[in-house]
Amino acid sequence: MHHACALQEVGYFHTYLDGVDYVFVDHGSFRRGKDLYGGDRLELSMRCALLSKAALEAVWHVPCGGVAYGDDNCVFIANDWHTAMLPVYLQAHYRDYNQMTYSRAVFVIHNMAHQGRGPYDEINQFELSNEYKEKFRLYDDMFKCEHMNILKVGLECAHRIVAVSRGYAWECQTPEGGWGLNKILETENWKLRGIVNGIDYNEWSPERDIFLQTDGYANYSLDTLHAGKAQCKAALQREFGLPVRADVPLLGFIGRLDYQKGVDLIRDNYEWLMQEGVQLLFLGSGTSELEESLREMESRNPQQCKSYVGFSVKMAHRITAGIDLLLMPSRFEPCGLNQLYAMAYGTVPLVHAVGGLRDTVSSWNPDDRSGTGWTFPRAETQPLREAIGYALGTYRHHRDSFRTIQQNGMSQDLSWDNAASLYEEVMVEAKYQW
């Protein structure tokens, strides 16, 4: 295939597993070890464009089940700016020439902030007609200049668009959440839909979690929630060197240590939290400033605050099972998975009401005993403190209500089954859109 003014040859690897064909693309530019997204901006963009081209050609060249798929009932799902060229190439190189007329492209937005921007003249490297090149031209109000924007044209050329939550679908159409493309999505919102991700219960289930089968932890279910979670809490306190006390609220944070995740808001409430007598656990890595803040907080109150700077799948599972409250004060969160894992484990999430967090966590209502956690309206120190205050009051003085919140969370179907059926609806809609 032609790519960046040269003929490029790609290879395909194929396997069939659990009823699904998996196809991998091989090219010298992809062999970068762990640095897959490295290199300069144009180099990365060209690798992503090559992957998009190779994906389109795969349906003609890879014999899945002994024969290539072809374009009949074929839907490509492209994710974020990295594969935003796929719907563009599908239209510009095939459908405009009456090829692959039965193929469709669905585009999934995970993060609008990353758009594949670059100097406009770089579009000349992407093998497009002048008509299509013009589509990539966008004026940037912030820098007061024109630039190339790959995500913009991917959104325009896709047959359907999915954002990873209903709340995020709405936020993408606002100036704050659209990152300069909100007007584009307002125009294209007839094909936009929000679908929250599901979780894999084979991996995230307190009943069969392999990380809860040693070191004093225990598997548990909704029926054995009280005893099982108490055992996991005690084991977690021992593992981190905290006093083993069932009566002390144990709060946790799991995630990247950066501005988006709002961990600084927890830090800014540190003194108050220590005065409230809670125990606090952190798991994550990120900016050096916030990593140092975690170490400093632990050194000041080692009997109440502990941190694991880095990431460990085992510790993520154990913390999720052992803590009482999961803090997610994210400034923006397109979907979020940790709050779903928490509810599946009977851990109560306390979240900033934004994006997927607003879609998936409902605030506790003592009148009708509904709700799966607590939410707060603004990513600021005081609203977070107030929400934590409500949660601590419920934990300490209305333990039956707290247990009801845990049970409400665990009783939900958070699997991929529902999300998958909604994705199927989107694909059928795309199929009948000419």
Side-chain angles (χ1 to χ4, degrees):
M1 66 180 59
H2 289 86
H3 179 68
C5 303
L7 189 64
Q8 303 289 327
E9 180 177 293
V10 299
Y12 295 101
F13 291 91
H14 166 252
T15 190
Y16 183 78
L17 184 65
D18 295 333
V20 178
D21 287 296
Y22 292 87
V23 178
F24 297 87
V25 181
D26 180 37
H27 186 266
S29 65
F30 297 159
R31 299 172 192 160
R32 304 180 58 89
K34 294 182 179 180
D35 190 32
L36 183 60
Y37 296 100
D40 63 32
R41 180 193 62 256
L42 180 58
E43 185 183 350
L44 172 59
S45 297
M46 299 310 294
R47 288 202 304 275
C48 293
L50 179 60
L51 175 63
S52 298
K53 287 186 174 186
L56 288 165
E57 284 293 318
V59 298
W60 299 111
H61 299 288
V62 181
C64 299
V67 62
Y69 280 172
D71 71 337
D72 190 31
N73 278 335
C74 180
V75 177
F76 295 94
I77 299 180
N79 294 273
D80 281 345
W81 81 265
H82 309 84
T83 50
M85 290 301 294
L86 188 147
V88 180
Y89 285 140
L90 175 61
Q91 192 65 44
H93 289 180
Y94 298 90
R95 289 170 55 83
D96 283 357
Y97 297 93
N98 294 317
Q99 303 295 313
M100 301 185 77
T101 55
Y102 294 103
S103 293
R104 302 289 185 270
V106 173
F107 190 83
V108 184
I109 307 170
H110 299 265
N111 194 329
M112 282 290 290
H114 304 289
Q115 300 179 0
R117 301 178 184 91
Y120 178 72
D121 60 3
E122 288 184 0
I123 194 58
N124 293 319
Q125 302 291 320
F126 288 85
E127 295 185 313
L128 291 164
S129 67
N130 290 334
E131 176 188 356
Y132 276 92
K133 288 178 185 177
E134 278 301 311
K135 295 177 183 291
F136 286 80
R137 190 189 300 272
L138 188 67
Y139 185 79
D140 192 311
D141 288 327
M142 180 179 296
F143 296 103
K144 307 300 181 187
C145 65
E146 288 182 335
H147 71 286
M148 173 190 74
N149 192 299
I150 292 175
L151 180 60
K152 168 188 178 289
V153 190
L155 295 170
E156 291 174 332
C157 289
H159 295 93
R160 283 292 186 275
I161 304 169
V162 174
V164 289
S165 68
R166 295 184 304 277
Y168 194 55
W170 174 82
E171 289 172 11
C172 288
Q173 299 176 70
T174 67
E176 296 78 13
W179 295 86
L181 295 183
N182 52 294
K183 295 294 185 183
I184 302 297
L185 277 174
E186 284 180 21
T187 302
E188 304 291 339
N189 69 359
W190 61 272
K191 60 183 180 183
L192 172 63
R193 185 169 179 179
I195 301 176
V196 173
N197 289 338
I199 64 176
D200 183 353
Y201 279 114
N202 291 320
E203 182 179 355
W204 286 93
S205 167
E207 292 186 71
R208 48 183 178 267
D209 192 323
I210 61 173
F211 299 112
L212 304 183
Q213 295 171 0
T214 56
D215 301 326
Y217 291 84
N219 291 119
Y220 58 92
S221 65
L222 181 58
D223 293 335
T224 59
L225 168 65
H226 181 59
K229 197 154 176 53
Q231 186 171 336
C232 288
K233 179 176 179 177
L236 185 65
Q237 289 170 322
R238 282 193 297 271
E239 186 162 3
F240 273 88
L242 291 169
V244 179
R245 291 183 56 186
D247 61 311
V248 173
L250 181 54
L251 282 58
F253 171 89
I254 302 171
R256 291 196 318 276
L257 304 179
D258 63 19
Y259 180 79
Q260 177 200 337
K261 297 299 182 182
V263 67
D264 57 300
L265 300 178
I266 304 174
R267 178 196 63 192
D268 295 344
N269 275 305
Y270 171 76
E271 297 289 353
W272 175 79
L273 286 166
M274 296 298 98
Q275 292 169 7
E276 283 291 317
V278 308
Q279 293 177 345
L280 189 58
L281 287 179
F282 293 92
L283 170 64
S285 62
T287 68
S288 57
E289 175 199 353
L290 290 172
E291 287 184 357
E292 184 56 36
S293 292
L294 262 57
R295 297 186 183 97
E296 191 265 340
M297 286 188 287
E298 179 175 338
S299 67
R300 289 170 61 189
N301 287 283
Q303 295 299 296
Q304 286 182 262
C305 182
K306 296 287 185 179
S307 60
Y308 185 116
V309 177
F311 194 74
S312 161
V313 173
K314 177 176 76 173
M315 291 315 305
H317 281 248
R318 289 181 168 182
I319 291 173
T320 300
I323 59 177
D324 298 303
L325 282 164
L326 176 73
L327 305 180
M328 291 188 69
S330 305
R331 287 181 166 84
F332 68 93
E333 194 67 69
C335 179
L337 287 173
N338 285 338
Q339 82 279 11
L340 302 180
Y341 300 148
M343 291 186 287
Y345 280 62
T347 295
V348 178
L350 191 152
V351 307
H352 176 211
V354 66
L357 302 179
R358 177 171 50 198
D359 282 6
T360 54
V361 179
S362 56
S363 284
W364 167 243
N365 183 341
D367 293 332
D368 61 9
R369 303 187 70 76
S370 65
T372 55
W374 280 274
T375 66
F376 58 99
R378 300 184 309 282
E380 299 170 4
T381 304
Q382 188 60 35
L384 171 60
R385 180 181 301 187
E386 291 173 0
I388 295 175
Y390 293 138
L392 295 180
T394 304
Y395 180 87
R396 286 171 167 152
H397 307 301
H398 304 281
R399 187 61 67 88
D400 61 327
S401 294
F402 194 86
R403 290 194 182 117
T404 297
I405 301 170
Q406 293 176 291
Q407 292 162 354
N408 289 348
M410 288 189 78
S411 299
Q412 301 175 101
D413 179 5
L414 302 171
S415 72
W416 265 104
D417 292 346
N418 182 51
S421 67
L422 297 176
Y423 266 94
E424 286 180 2
E425 290 179 8
V426 170
M427 293 179 199
V428 171
E429 291 170 358
K431 175 182 177 179
Y432 291 107
Q433 177 195 334
W434 192 253

